[in-house]
Amino acid sequence: MQQSHRHQESTSSEPDDLTPTTTHTEASSSLLSPSSPTTKSLGGDTLRCRADSFNSTAETSRSRANSFNSKAETARSRANSDIVTLRSRFEGDELSSEEALRPDKTNAEDFKVENSPFAFSPGQLNKTLNPKSLAAYRALGGIYGLEQGLRTDLVAGLSVDETSLEGNVSFQEATESANSQKPLESRRIIAQDVIVTEHEIKGQYHDRKRIFKDNRLPAKKPVSIWRLFWNAYNDRVLLILTAAAAISLALGIYEAVGQPPDPEGGASLDWVEGLAIIVAIVVVVLVTGLNDYRRERQFTALNARKDDRQVKAIRSGKSAMISVHDVTVGDVLHLESGDSLPADGILIGGHGIRCDESSATGESDAMKKIGGPEVWQRILDGTATSKLDPFIISGSKVTEGVGTYLVTSVGVNSSYGKIMMGLQAENEETPLQVKLARMANWIGYLGTSAAGLLFFILLIRFLAGLSGNTDTPAKRGQSFLDILIVAITIIVVAVPEGLPVAVTLALSFATKQMFKENNLVRHLRACETMGNATTICSDKTGTLTQNKMTVVAGVLGSKINFAVNIDMEDEEKTVFTFAAALGRLSPAARNLLLQSIAINSTAFEGEEDGKATYIGSKTETALLTMAKEHLGMGPVVEERAGVEIVQLFPFDSDRKCMGVVIRLASGIYRLLVKGAAEIMLEHATEEVTDVMEETLKAIELSEEARGRILADIDDYATQSLRTIAMLYKDFQQWPPKDVQTLEDDRNMAQFDDILREMTFVAVVGIQDPLRDGVALAVQRCQDAGIVVRMVTGDNLTTASAIAKQCGIKTEKGLVLEGPKFRQLSDEDMDKILPDLQVLARSSPDDKKILVSKLKRLGETVAVTGDGTNDGPALKMADVGFSMGIAGTEVAKEASAIILLDDNFSSIVKAVMWGRSVNDAVAKFLQFQITVNITAVVLAFVSAVSSTKMHSVLSAVQLLWVNLIMDTFAALALATDPPTEKILNRKPTPKRAPLITTNMWKMIVGQAIYQLLVTLVLYFVGYDVLGYDTKCLAANQRTLCPSSLALQALHDCQTDAASKCTGRMHDQLNTMVFNTFVWMQIFNEFNNRRLDNKFNIFEGVLRNYFFIAINCIMVGGQIMIIFVGGAAFDVKRINGTQWAVCILCALPCLLWAVVLRCVPDPYAATLFGIAAKIWLGVARPALKVLKFTLSPVTKAWRLLTANVFAPTWRFSRRCVSKLWGKRKDGDVDREEGDTHKRTADEEATVDVEMEPVAVGALPTTPPLPPQQQQQQRQQTSFELPMQPPPITLTTPT
């Protein structure tokens, strides 16, 4: 009952000699809301009935022996009295401490702790929030019981010296001490000479972390490298190819061991090909798995950096910035508008605090928070209701107010942590990955169709030749397997699974490099989208300017001007230095200025890089610095210590101001307001005068004086200075009479209703220099076809002046103010948007409107923001950039990229890397489609034309080509860093195709050249190269390897011409394969450029990945030709033949020059004609094919449904019975069992299902026997059960 008088008692007590006393208004320790009345009339909405009672009508009398308030009695009677309640009630009021803190079955382990020095377990602390429970809060002894039980201090926070704690505090000691604790306003603060550094924080709070854990979520278990190997191998085509290779190997071994050797050819070596295919598959799987492992590690590191941030804590009585991961139970944290709360807790105190808890509780309205001490007092007084809410939920956002709160749960024990543990998902797929995956499927379908057609053609030829085939059964089986293996290998080559991998590689490389250049990418899609941005809406402060603000000029009242540099002022005015103007102020005027600067501020003293400084808004820190240097201000904590704050009005970006109400020693209530100068001047009707007199005097603000002040404001604005004005007004009572008050607290006034008839105190001009290089960065964006617009809260004159310095504002550019902009019609907006370059005095709603209109016009919009209210605009933009230094947590969470240095030049870097990602994908796409077309056509044509039905490219050779395509080329082309020239082209439109005309020109042109060369070598290579099929001795030294020349000559002389011809044929096939691979290596250089310029080697020496990977490919190809032998189905070739291969492949570089000389419009016309012809032929053919194959498709479906599926189910059931258990998720999937439980669901929650008897269902009239039987069959599947948990995961 004494709560409403505490501040009078505390102000009358004498301060200690060593440390100043603090009241509940001290900003560095805690902020308590004004006390509420001790009694209130309760409406029906303050009472909440329990599940099985009706408190509004029933007479209730409860008394529990074990209840916390067992002596309190409750009586209600509506029959004979109008008295509704003798004591207030809240939900759970009748529960005892044991009942309020009773463990649930799902979290019983959280209540078990060993050797704990604390009074409470994590489970007991969580009972206050699961759901919000005043009963649990009361059972824990309220805020003071928590303070004692957690061994912390509500004012000074945790000690920086704490490591392990000695002794322990019992539950009873903590809860019983709650009534004997000193109120916060009578506490002393710790001396301010305590230094808090990051070094001292590390490695501390051992016991707290042991019992309550740290504020980290366990990292999602990384996919093991063995799992990645399995994922790479677990491809249907590779599995079929493995089976075919294994059968081929078995047959080859049987033929070599179990059959007599050929007298002429020696032992059979057919087994070598099967073994080589298996080895090649292993190599492909290993390389792919290692590549995925490297990518996973990069994204894990990115996510770790993305989750870390700084929060404001009080430790050893001093505010400090600490990592969010270092927050622990017992910490006292600051909270203010825009913060994302990192941990659960109880509000210690504050002003006007409201939180958006929609993400945690689903409550759409902002929840008003009441300080824990006040709630505890209301519980003791018997006036508590369920509406009282001191609970802070992690993951929620502070929408209004400032204050401090006590942390009670962190990490996995917090509300947000428990939610996030169930939502850990795989990395998102970007739009480009989705598009490329779709394209890869279509290319794969075409390649599969080609492979299927080849298989059927060769199969028909094989079956037709069986009657005259005199080979052994093993050899005939081997011949069939050769056909199957070639067809399957063509599918492996044709399916471009490397396309999505190329995007991932490019994104992982780009995001890592972007982080080094101060761009923290939170969403991967933003990286590729930024490359196509067409407009950037940028803030001014901190982004275009340095955010190093200094007060350089000002005016007191309307007459006393002062400045750092007197020359910067008008010669007609009398301008004083800071010392001359501020040094002679009277104590009253000086105190008024100090109150306006120090009290009406959310900045505080702290340390950065080991130096004492002010932490907070740069505008406020600039004013505090001026007050310290020229007004003799001491430590901020001392300036605020003796001041009683009655009401606080946080900064609002719509009103462009902030305010505070304080109670002076004389009993007068003083409203202090500061904000945008020209807006503040509109609310002023008086000005201070005679600032050197003992008492403050104010006179009417005449039009002449108003004009002088406006002239000063314009003068400052033309010098690119930010102008801040300060007002005040005194009231006899609070809230004033005839003033609207807040609906939920009648002791608080509506700010808009009291911001009138104010007294003008001063206006200051704050200098914020442009960042170095910002003008050049803006120019580079404009050269890249990106329109840069400035969206700022500064006035029109200041914004225009800075925009001109940056190069944003041009002569024809349009400058508008936010209030005028938002009043324009849609038609007028569409007309002015192309010319709009500066939007001044804008609110977050103006920014959101601007972004939505630009997107509607087809623009790809990037926008920067730092405030809480910027969240909608950041979300709406294609790419949202938040400020890493000045941005609120709400803005950071709404953004896609965080600018770690708040620098506009970093945005330009993001554009460059975004374009680099898109270019890398286009390069790889161009390269891979060329290889696909050439490899598939060459293998198809050579296999069909061969008498032995063998492709010129063997299965192992095709797997080597596939490794070059899907892995090596992706690594080489995805790691090209961007150059400055990447900004010399216009952005790519949103609906632009993945493959441009220029790309098609290079793809088709290179494919034609490669096919022409390889097919000529294959079909007429003997004639072109002068080979004699009769193996004449004169040509032997040219046709055969030098080491075998004599043997070849002997063969010819002994009429073994067939043997020599076979050797020549093998050599020619080797030359075709060698030429084909070297053309891909040279063509990789061609694909480094996507335009029509000729220098394909630009920047190649800076890309070490490209050089290293090409060295691997060249070295691998040379080794294959020299030592591949039977494994790769190659024969060693001599130097002349090597020269032929290189000289046939090298001209593809010159051919690319010729193709680049062909104008793109001509190529587009040619491709258009070809596409029409193709569609005219293909569409009828596809219809005929569909009609022809439809019976086969229907038969296959019937066979699958009636034979394969039942057989598969039967085999699974047999295996399950043999093992005595059934695997999760394998229960009659085909029968439509709606109650199957997947492994993910089992991992999420363990639900005990109780049998439900049919007889327990509601009785119904008897049914006929047949319907009863149907009902019994359906009951086993349709009885209502507890729904399965929801797990948001992405399949691997």
Side-chain angles (χ1 to χ4, degrees), residues 203-217:
Q204 299 186 6
Y205 310 116
H206 170 74
D207 281 336
R208 294 184 187 275
K209 293 179 180 179
R210 178 175 62 86
I211 300 298
F212 302 112
K213 312 300 181 186
D214 57 9
N215 199 29
R216 287 180 174 86
L217 295 181

Side-chain angles (χ1 to χ4, degrees), residues 784 911-913 915-916 919 978-985:
V911 174
M912 293 174 61
W913 278 107
R915 293 190 176 188
S916 176
D919 286 357
T979 63
E980 298 291 336
K981 295 181 180 179
I982 204 170
L983 296 175
N984 293 340
R985 67 172 191 257

Side-chain angles (χ1 to χ4, degrees), residues 90-152:
F90 51 85
E91 187 174 359
D93 182 28
E94 74 286 355
L95 297 178
S96 66
S97 298
E98 291 79 3
E99 291 172 323
L101 300 178
R102 179 177 297 165
D104 300 324
K105 291 183 179 180
T106 58
N107 63 355
E109 292 298 322
D110 294 341
F111 289 76
K112 299 176 182 179
V113 292
E114 295 181 0
N115 301 323
S116 175
F118 306 102
F120 310 122
S121 65
Q124 290 172 327
L125 295 174
N126 286 338
K127 291 296 288 186
T128 60
L129 289 173
N130 191 24
K132 296 178 183 178
S133 171
L134 286 178
Y137 178 69
R138 179 188 62 190
L140 295 172
I143 190 73
Y144 300 116
L146 289 169
E147 177 187 29
Q148 184 74 9
L150 297 178
R151 304 180 70 170
T152 184

Side-chain angles (χ1 to χ4, degrees), residues 1144-1218:
C1144 287
L1146 192 59
C1148 72
L1149 297 176
L1150 301 177
W1151 179 240
V1153 174
V1154 176
L1155 292 175
R1156 287 188 166 95
C1157 292
V1158 178
D1160 288 349
Y1162 293 171
T1165 302
L1166 182 62
F1167 290 144
I1169 296 173
K1172 290 181 181 179
I1173 296 174
W1174 166 256
L1175 290 176
V1177 174
R1179 283 175 178 171
L1182 289 174
K1183 290 181 179 179
V1184 172
L1185 187 64
K1186 182 178 179 181
F1187 177 77
T1188 305
L1189 296 179
S1190 59
V1192 179
T1193 304
K1194 292 180 180 178
W1196 174 257
R1197 289 176 180 173
L1198 290 173
L1199 187 65
T1200 301
N1202 298 316
V1203 178
F1204 295 152
T1207 303
W1208 175 245
R1209 290 197 300 270
F1210 176 76
S1211 61
R1212 282 190 304 162
R1213 288 169 179 168
C1214 291
V1215 171
S1216 300
K1217 290 179 179 180
L1218 288 174

Side-chain angles (χ1 to χ4, degrees), residues 62 125 259 525 542 673 769 880 895 950 987 1037 1068:
R62 292 184 178 92
L125 295 174
Q259 298 292 325
R525 65 177 60 226
V673 181
S895 65
H950 288 175
R1037 299 184 184 277
L1068 191 61

